[in-house]
Amino acid sequence: MDSSEFRKAAHSAIDEIIDYHDTIHGRKVVSTVSPGYLRKLLPSGPPEEGEKWNDIQKDIESKIMPGLTHWQSPDFMAFFPSNASYPSILGELYSAAFTAPAFNWLCSPAVTELETVILDWLSRLFNLPPCFYSDGEGGGVIQGSASEAIVTVMVAARERYFKRACEDLDGEAREAKISSLRSRLVALGSDQSHSSTQKAALILGVRYKAIPTTMEDNLSISGEHLIQTLGECEREGLEPFYLTVTLGTTSTCAVDYFQEIQQVLRRDLQPAPEIWIHVDAAYAGAALVCEEYHHLTKSFDAFDSFEMNMHKWLLVNFDAGCLWVKNRNDLTSALSITPSYLRNDFSDSGLVTDYRDWQIPLGRRFRSLKIWFVLRSYGVSGLKSYIRNHIRLGMVFHDMVLSQPDLFEILAPPAFALTVFTVKPATEQETEIPFENGVSHLGAEERKVATGIILEYENRQLQRANAITKRVYEAINAAGEIFLTGCVVKGVYAIRVVSGNENTDEQYLRKAFDILVRTTLEMQSKTEVTYTNGV
Amino acid sequence: MDSSEFRKAAHSAIDEIIDYHDTIHGRKVVSTVSPGYLRKLLPSGPPEEGEKWNDIQKDIESKIMPGLTHWQSPDFMAFFPSNASYPSILGELYSAAFTAPAFNWLCSPAVTELETVILDWLSRLFNLPPCFYSDGEGGGVIQGSASEAIVTVMVAARERYFKRACEDLDGEAREAKISSLRSRLVALGSDQSHSSTQKAALILGVRYKAIPTTMEDNLSISGEHLIQTLGECEREGLEPFYLTVTLGTTSTCAVDYFQEIQQVLRRDLQPAPEIWIHVDAAYAGAALVCEEYHHLTKSFDAFDSFEMNMHKWLLVNFDAGCLWVKNRNDLTSALSITPSYLRNDFSDSGLVTDYRDWQIPLGRRFRSLKIWFVLRSYGVSGLKSYIRNHIRLGMVFHDMVLSQPDLFEILAPPAFALTVFTVKPATEQETEIPFENGVSHLGAEERKVATGIILEYENRQLQRANAITKRVYEAINAAGEIFLTGCVVKGVYAIRVVSGNENTDEQYLRKAFDILVRTTLEMQSKTEVTYTNGV
């Protein structure tokens, strides 16, 4: 493909992308292909001779498009959003054209320098405390994803822990101590943390323990539960070295009680070595562009790292995971290896950043370009209104759910454009609520029996609610008009609706709600199948 | 930016990219900016209001371009190539437009299915044995980089090792055994392996040991040295669980002796649990498109995983690291965690692949598109001639180096378009080679003294050669007409020239050689500064 063929091909691709964007609301949001659909449509190997672009491009519409689930469709309300935007696509385009696996500063200084500048811009925009800025001991780096970031900081946490625990040891004594510590290390999260913390622990080969949360605490890690879990670790001879706290959990967008956590883990109270605290704000961190959320970062100077994904809710196409650390030396001293072929005077001088020592892979793409383009195209005020509009839409949807108390129940407070609710089963005409007036007037023996009956009743009610919620959810996703996510929180099956999609507006949320009502009424009228397992 | 603004902006970006491509040979290959250049050119934060694309685009030429090192310039002969191509850029463009963090099959079935098909195409193209095809127990996955792949398979290797070592244990006995094994695990590579194996060991928190290689063995791992290292591990009470073997090492493109390795580690001879053998063919694996290299994969059915980067030498822009495993269950059983919000009927049915369980991150880009476009645009025959041309050019350059035996010495046989050589210091007029006629005619005492003198002389010659080679290398890179890489092999400082760049041809290699000759003559004529450290 020469330059003139490329110009033609690229113009045609741009037209197709614009057409895709402009017609996305008309496409069925979830792909309906069957497993294995594509192999049947493709030859058994690559062609011997090169093909023309026209022939290749045709296959996009005919073979690829049917297999796409359209994350930017306004009917997509599942998981968390994965927004893209035109300026971001342009950034990806230039990044591909300037291809370099820019592992060293010298490999392409602009790749490193724009990244440092942009992450400093963002750190101020998100109201991170100055300890995370690159002009001190901290700094930011762009990685692929929140999970990658967690593995990275967990390695740094482990090495810092060993270093501090063995400060006064060397040689065999040090080895022996590390070996003994290694088998007792435990990474902490909560029972609401994203699975990536557990996966990172698995990758490092350390234990994982989940701090319990309660509905009363809005599913947040509280100081009390943290203390309780730390006590448990002590009794079990475990060494907690790392903790993920979350700003916006996956199931309900809960925010852990940062201030309480900070107080429990205050450096001056905690015996060294300290636990590394990582803030996972993968999705909800985007809301920090708005001043009204700035109070959330108040305790962050007590934490060691913070991650949010520009590629979820801030219009940068996947991938653009932004990680900040308070002490960049924690990363580089854990991850740096410098063979001769990677050395150069600039790196040796210490005047430049070699981001390869801040991450797992060696090479890296020019990902800051697309963030830069998005920040400049939208401006800070544009990003604020973008987020505020989605949060407003979330409240609108929440109110719709509240308006039908006979059909739905809100499970957790609406947060960050996410509404989580359950479906109510049809009222059982034939059964009464047992002991509706309480059991206090009963004698001891009777009370015991009554309590058993009540528990059994409540359990049955929960199972009925779980069953219908799951059935409504599954029916809606199978129909494929809209795409939602189901989740299980404390044994309760719930449906999540996210209104953070770039193309969403009130009419799509109304449509989604109508579908929910219609499907719920259908399911309520059907013979009931009790939901018993599979949660 | 609306659709019509995007059309205009994208057309303008395409023009700029074409112009960049067409004029790349005229640009200075290495950026000459000073550390911190970019921050001075940029405002201290993002704009409050959005800017127009015209204003953003202007900054690419004025602010970004000076900070780029041009990896696709024909003057770039450093590291390994990082080729890009127009079809690949189109793939990246569509991938950005279809953005999805496609962690599950259902998240966008085409992302998973095209990847499986394309990696099957490639596995046949590269003559991998059928055990790596997806229709059996194996299969391929696209990851970001070779280093990421090594971390991934090392985790799988560790878990498989534990599983097999503890087959007959459970509960506390199993825990105790694993804990004891854990502190004695050692990952193996060679002293020529890429640093990523050592880094992966560091991430997992296991030891790393390098198998020695020799110049006589062309810097390859031999059966003998492998046996020797395994013996050492046994004596030291270590548990080798993983080994990286390399097809094309970074310094000299050495190929380990696969058949000898296979024989040493034959499953029926080795006590269980077996060592996981990973083939790192990050760069040179591309040559496997040509039949004349197919004999290299003969022993691969004895190995567990294989990785090559389409983004180095096969025209796919970074990143497109392709990893194949013989048993995909080894990956999924080590890396799978399935919380409720990631469950769906398709995944539960086991009929589909969820690539998130084959890798460290959760989300994934649509990277197979660009490989598909490149395979179809070039065709198999196009890719073969592409690789063969570079290998031929490598031989041409090798012959140039050979033609000046007074100035240069070849360090390792030319391989995969890589030439590695040293610069000869100016002849020392004043000193003679000591004991040029040997020492066998001397008595025992005299021989000892003579040998000492010879060693000292040889060491001084080596230091002089190292010094001038390093100075020639540094002077050339500082001048910035061409970009080379220096490396240290067995204490010898050498220069690497790679002719695998997409825009290279004989005239550029001739130019590079002329610069080498000119710089060498200059350096030979200068007062000699002995090279003593810094290797």
Side-chain angles (χ1 to χ4, degrees), chain A residues 103-134:
Chain A
F103 41 84
N104 282 344
W105 179 84
L106 186 59
C107 281
S108 228
V111 177
T112 298
E113 299 215 357
L114 187 63
E115 188 160 330
T116 308
V117 170
I118 294 302
L119 269 76
D120 275 338
W121 283 12
L122 288 178
S123 62
R124 284 163 175 85
L125 199 57
F126 295 152
N127 199 40
L128 298 188
C131 58
F132 290 101
Y133 302 173
S134 75

Short mmCIF file of all heavy atoms in Angstrom, two decimals, chain A residues 103-134:
data_model
loop_
_atom_site.label_atom_id
_atom_site.label_comp_id
_atom_site.label_asym_id
_atom_site.label_seq_id
_atom_site.Cartn_x
_atom_site.Cartn_y
_atom_site.Cartn_z
N PHE A 103 10.80 2.59 25.37
CA PHE A 103 11.14 2.12 26.72
C PHE A 103 12.09 3.05 27.46
O PHE A 103 12.10 3.09 28.68
CB PHE A 103 11.70 0.69 26.68
CG PHE A 103 12.64 0.41 25.54
CD1 PHE A 103 13.98 0.74 25.65
CD2 PHE A 103 12.19 -0.18 24.37
CE1 PHE A 103 14.85 0.47 24.62
CE2 PHE A 103 13.05 -0.45 23.32
CZ PHE A 103 14.40 -0.13 23.45
N ASN A 104 12.95 3.76 26.70
CA ASN A 104 13.87 4.74 27.28
C ASN A 104 13.43 6.14 26.88
O ASN A 104 12.79 6.32 25.85
CB ASN A 104 15.28 4.58 26.69
CG ASN A 104 16.03 3.43 27.28
OD1 ASN A 104 15.65 2.91 28.32
ND2 ASN A 104 17.08 3.02 26.61
N TRP A 105 13.87 7.11 27.62
CA TRP A 105 13.63 8.50 27.23
C TRP A 105 14.12 8.76 25.81
O TRP A 105 13.39 9.28 24.96
CB TRP A 105 14.34 9.43 28.23
CG TRP A 105 14.20 10.88 27.93
CD1 TRP A 105 13.17 11.69 28.29
CD2 TRP A 105 15.11 11.71 27.19
NE1 TRP A 105 13.38 12.97 27.84
CE2 TRP A 105 14.57 13.01 27.15
CE3 TRP A 105 16.34 11.48 26.56
CZ2 TRP A 105 15.20 14.08 26.52
CZ3 TRP A 105 16.98 12.54 25.92
CH2 TRP A 105 16.41 13.83 25.90
N LEU A 106 15.36 8.31 25.53
CA LEU A 106 15.98 8.59 24.24
C LEU A 106 15.26 7.92 23.07
O LEU A 106 15.35 8.35 21.93
CB LEU A 106 17.46 8.14 24.27
CG LEU A 106 18.32 8.48 23.05
CD1 LEU A 106 18.37 9.99 22.83
CD2 LEU A 106 19.73 7.91 23.20
N CYS A 107 14.52 6.87 23.36
CA CYS A 107 13.78 6.14 22.31
C CYS A 107 12.75 7.01 21.63
O CYS A 107 12.22 6.66 20.58
CB CYS A 107 13.05 4.95 22.91
SG CYS A 107 14.13 3.57 23.19
N SER A 108 12.40 8.09 22.24
CA SER A 108 11.49 9.10 21.71
C SER A 108 11.11 10.01 22.87
O SER A 108 10.09 9.78 23.54
CB SER A 108 10.25 8.46 21.07
OG SER A 108 10.01 9.03 19.79
N PRO A 109 11.94 11.02 23.09
CA PRO A 109 11.76 11.87 24.28
C PRO A 109 10.33 12.42 24.43
O PRO A 109 9.83 12.54 25.55
CB PRO A 109 12.75 13.01 24.05
CG PRO A 109 13.84 12.39 23.22
CD PRO A 109 13.14 11.41 22.33
N ALA A 110 9.67 12.74 23.32
CA ALA A 110 8.33 13.30 23.40
C ALA A 110 7.36 12.35 24.09
O ALA A 110 6.44 12.78 24.80
CB ALA A 110 7.82 13.67 22.01
N VAL A 111 7.54 11.04 23.88
CA VAL A 111 6.63 10.06 24.46
C VAL A 111 6.70 10.14 25.99
O VAL A 111 5.68 10.18 26.68
CB VAL A 111 6.97 8.62 23.98
CG1 VAL A 111 6.06 7.60 24.65
CG2 VAL A 111 6.85 8.53 22.47
N THR A 112 7.90 10.19 26.52
CA THR A 112 8.09 10.30 27.96
C THR A 112 7.64 11.67 28.48
O THR A 112 6.90 11.76 29.46
CB THR A 112 9.57 10.10 28.32
OG1 THR A 112 9.95 8.78 27.92
CG2 THR A 112 9.81 10.28 29.80
N GLU A 113 8.07 12.71 27.80
CA GLU A 113 7.85 14.05 28.36
C GLU A 113 6.38 14.46 28.31
O GLU A 113 5.88 15.07 29.26
CB GLU A 113 8.75 15.07 27.64
CG GLU A 113 10.22 14.71 27.83
CD GLU A 113 11.13 15.92 27.93
OE1 GLU A 113 10.65 17.06 27.80
OE2 GLU A 113 12.34 15.72 28.15
N LEU A 114 5.69 14.13 27.22
CA LEU A 114 4.27 14.50 27.18
C LEU A 114 3.52 13.74 28.27
O LEU A 114 2.63 14.29 28.94
CB LEU A 114 3.67 14.21 25.80
CG LEU A 114 2.24 14.73 25.63
CD1 LEU A 114 2.17 16.26 25.74
CD2 LEU A 114 1.62 14.28 24.29
N GLU A 115 3.91 12.49 28.48
CA GLU A 115 3.24 11.68 29.50
C GLU A 115 3.40 12.31 30.89
O GLU A 115 2.44 12.41 31.66
CB GLU A 115 3.83 10.27 29.47
CG GLU A 115 3.11 9.27 30.34
CD GLU A 115 3.39 7.83 29.93
OE1 GLU A 115 3.64 7.55 28.73
OE2 GLU A 115 3.35 6.95 30.80
N THR A 116 4.61 12.74 31.21
CA THR A 116 4.85 13.34 32.53
C THR A 116 4.03 14.62 32.69
O THR A 116 3.40 14.84 33.72
CB THR A 116 6.36 13.65 32.71
OG1 THR A 116 7.10 12.47 32.42
CG2 THR A 116 6.66 14.11 34.12
N VAL A 117 4.04 15.45 31.64
CA VAL A 117 3.30 16.72 31.72
C VAL A 117 1.80 16.46 31.86
O VAL A 117 1.13 17.03 32.73
CB VAL A 117 3.58 17.58 30.46
CG1 VAL A 117 2.64 18.76 30.40
CG2 VAL A 117 5.04 18.05 30.45
N ILE A 118 1.28 15.57 31.03
CA ILE A 118 -0.16 15.31 31.05
C ILE A 118 -0.59 14.72 32.39
O ILE A 118 -1.64 15.07 32.93
CB ILE A 118 -0.56 14.37 29.89
CG1 ILE A 118 -0.33 15.05 28.54
CG2 ILE A 118 -2.01 13.91 30.01
CD1 ILE A 118 -1.07 16.34 28.34
N LEU A 119 0.24 13.85 32.94
CA LEU A 119 -0.15 13.27 34.23
C LEU A 119 -0.05 14.28 35.36
O LEU A 119 -0.79 14.18 36.34
CB LEU A 119 0.58 11.96 34.51
CG LEU A 119 -0.29 10.79 33.95
CD1 LEU A 119 -0.22 10.67 32.46
CD2 LEU A 119 -0.04 9.50 34.65
N ASP A 120 0.84 15.24 35.22
CA ASP A 120 0.84 16.35 36.19
C ASP A 120 -0.41 17.20 36.03
O ASP A 120 -1.03 17.61 37.02
CB ASP A 120 2.10 17.20 36.02
CG ASP A 120 3.30 16.62 36.79
OD1 ASP A 120 3.07 15.85 37.74
OD2 ASP A 120 4.44 16.93 36.43
N TRP A 121 -0.79 17.48 34.79
CA TRP A 121 -2.04 18.22 34.55
C TRP A 121 -3.20 17.51 35.25
O TRP A 121 -3.99 18.12 35.98
CB TRP A 121 -2.36 18.27 33.05
CG TRP A 121 -1.58 19.23 32.22
CD1 TRP A 121 -0.46 19.92 32.58
CD2 TRP A 121 -1.88 19.62 30.86
NE1 TRP A 121 -0.03 20.70 31.53
CE2 TRP A 121 -0.88 20.54 30.47
CE3 TRP A 121 -2.87 19.27 29.95
CZ2 TRP A 121 -0.85 21.12 29.19
CZ3 TRP A 121 -2.85 19.83 28.68
CH2 TRP A 121 -1.85 20.75 28.31
N LEU A 122 -3.29 16.20 34.99
CA LEU A 122 -4.42 15.44 35.53
C LEU A 122 -4.38 15.39 37.05
O LEU A 122 -5.43 15.47 37.70
CB LEU A 122 -4.42 14.01 34.97
CG LEU A 122 -4.81 13.86 33.49
CD1 LEU A 122 -4.71 12.39 33.07
CD2 LEU A 122 -6.22 14.37 33.23
N SER A 123 -3.19 15.27 37.63
CA SER A 123 -3.12 15.14 39.09
C SER A 123 -3.69 16.40 39.76
O SER A 123 -4.35 16.31 40.78
CB SER A 123 -1.68 14.88 39.54
OG SER A 123 -0.85 15.96 39.19
N ARG A 124 -3.45 17.55 39.14
CA ARG A 124 -4.01 18.79 39.69
C ARG A 124 -5.52 18.86 39.43
O ARG A 124 -6.30 19.27 40.29
CB ARG A 124 -3.30 20.00 39.08
CG ARG A 124 -1.91 20.21 39.68
CD ARG A 124 -1.04 21.12 38.84
NE ARG A 124 0.25 21.40 39.48
CZ ARG A 124 1.31 20.60 39.39
NH1 ARG A 124 1.24 19.47 38.72
NH2 ARG A 124 2.44 20.93 39.99
N LEU A 125 -5.89 18.44 38.23
CA LEU A 125 -7.31 18.45 37.86
C LEU A 125 -8.12 17.58 38.82
O LEU A 125 -9.25 17.92 39.20
CB LEU A 125 -7.43 17.91 36.43
CG LEU A 125 -8.67 18.20 35.61
CD1 LEU A 125 -8.91 19.69 35.49
CD2 LEU A 125 -8.54 17.58 34.21
N PHE A 126 -7.53 16.46 39.24
CA PHE A 126 -8.24 15.51 40.11
C PHE A 126 -8.04 15.84 41.60
O PHE A 126 -8.43 15.04 42.45
CB PHE A 126 -7.75 14.08 39.85
CG PHE A 126 -8.07 13.57 38.47
CD1 PHE A 126 -7.26 12.62 37.88
CD2 PHE A 126 -9.17 14.03 37.76
CE1 PHE A 126 -7.54 12.13 36.60
CE2 PHE A 126 -9.46 13.55 36.49
CZ PHE A 126 -8.64 12.60 35.90
N ASN A 127 -7.37 16.94 41.86
CA ASN A 127 -7.13 17.35 43.24
C ASN A 127 -6.31 16.34 44.05
O ASN A 127 -6.49 16.20 45.26
CB ASN A 127 -8.47 17.62 43.96
CG ASN A 127 -8.30 18.48 45.20
OD1 ASN A 127 -7.52 19.43 45.19
ND2 ASN A 127 -9.01 18.15 46.27
N LEU A 128 -5.42 15.65 43.37
CA LEU A 128 -4.50 14.78 44.12
C LEU A 128 -3.57 15.68 44.92
O LEU A 128 -3.21 16.76 44.46
CB LEU A 128 -3.69 13.89 43.17
CG LEU A 128 -4.46 12.91 42.29
CD1 LEU A 128 -3.49 11.98 41.56
CD2 LEU A 128 -5.43 12.08 43.12
N PRO A 129 -3.16 15.25 46.09
CA PRO A 129 -2.23 16.08 46.87
C PRO A 129 -0.87 16.18 46.17
O PRO A 129 -0.50 15.27 45.41
CB PRO A 129 -2.13 15.34 48.20
CG PRO A 129 -2.65 13.98 47.97
CD PRO A 129 -3.58 14.04 46.81
N PRO A 130 -0.11 17.25 46.44
CA PRO A 130 1.14 17.51 45.73
C PRO A 130 2.17 16.38 45.84
O PRO A 130 3.07 16.30 45.00
CB PRO A 130 1.67 18.78 46.41
CG PRO A 130 0.46 19.44 46.96
CD PRO A 130 -0.48 18.34 47.34
N CYS A 131 2.02 15.50 46.83
CA CYS A 131 3.00 14.41 46.93
C CYS A 131 2.96 13.50 45.71
O CYS A 131 3.88 12.72 45.49
CB CYS A 131 2.77 13.60 48.21
SG CYS A 131 1.13 12.91 48.35
N PHE A 132 1.92 13.60 44.90
CA PHE A 132 1.85 12.77 43.70
C PHE A 132 2.38 13.47 42.45
O PHE A 132 2.39 12.90 41.37
CB PHE A 132 0.40 12.30 43.45
CG PHE A 132 -0.10 11.30 44.46
CD1 PHE A 132 -0.92 11.68 45.50
CD2 PHE A 132 0.28 9.97 44.37
CE1 PHE A 132 -1.38 10.75 46.43
CE2 PHE A 132 -0.17 9.03 45.29
CZ PHE A 132 -0.99 9.43 46.33
N TYR A 133 2.79 14.74 42.58
CA TYR A 133 3.29 15.47 41.41
C TYR A 133 4.72 15.06 41.09
O TYR A 133 5.49 14.69 41.98
CB TYR A 133 3.28 16.99 41.66
CG TYR A 133 1.94 17.60 42.01
CD1 TYR A 133 1.88 18.95 42.39
CD2 TYR A 133 0.76 16.88 41.96
CE1 TYR A 133 0.68 19.55 42.73
CE2 TYR A 133 -0.45 17.48 42.30
CZ TYR A 133 -0.49 18.81 42.69
OH TYR A 133 -1.68 19.39 43.02
N SER A 134 5.10 15.21 39.86
CA SER A 134 6.44 14.77 39.45
C SER A 134 7.53 15.74 39.88
O SER A 134 8.71 15.42 39.79
CB SER A 134 6.49 14.56 37.94
OG SER A 134 6.53 15.80 37.28
#
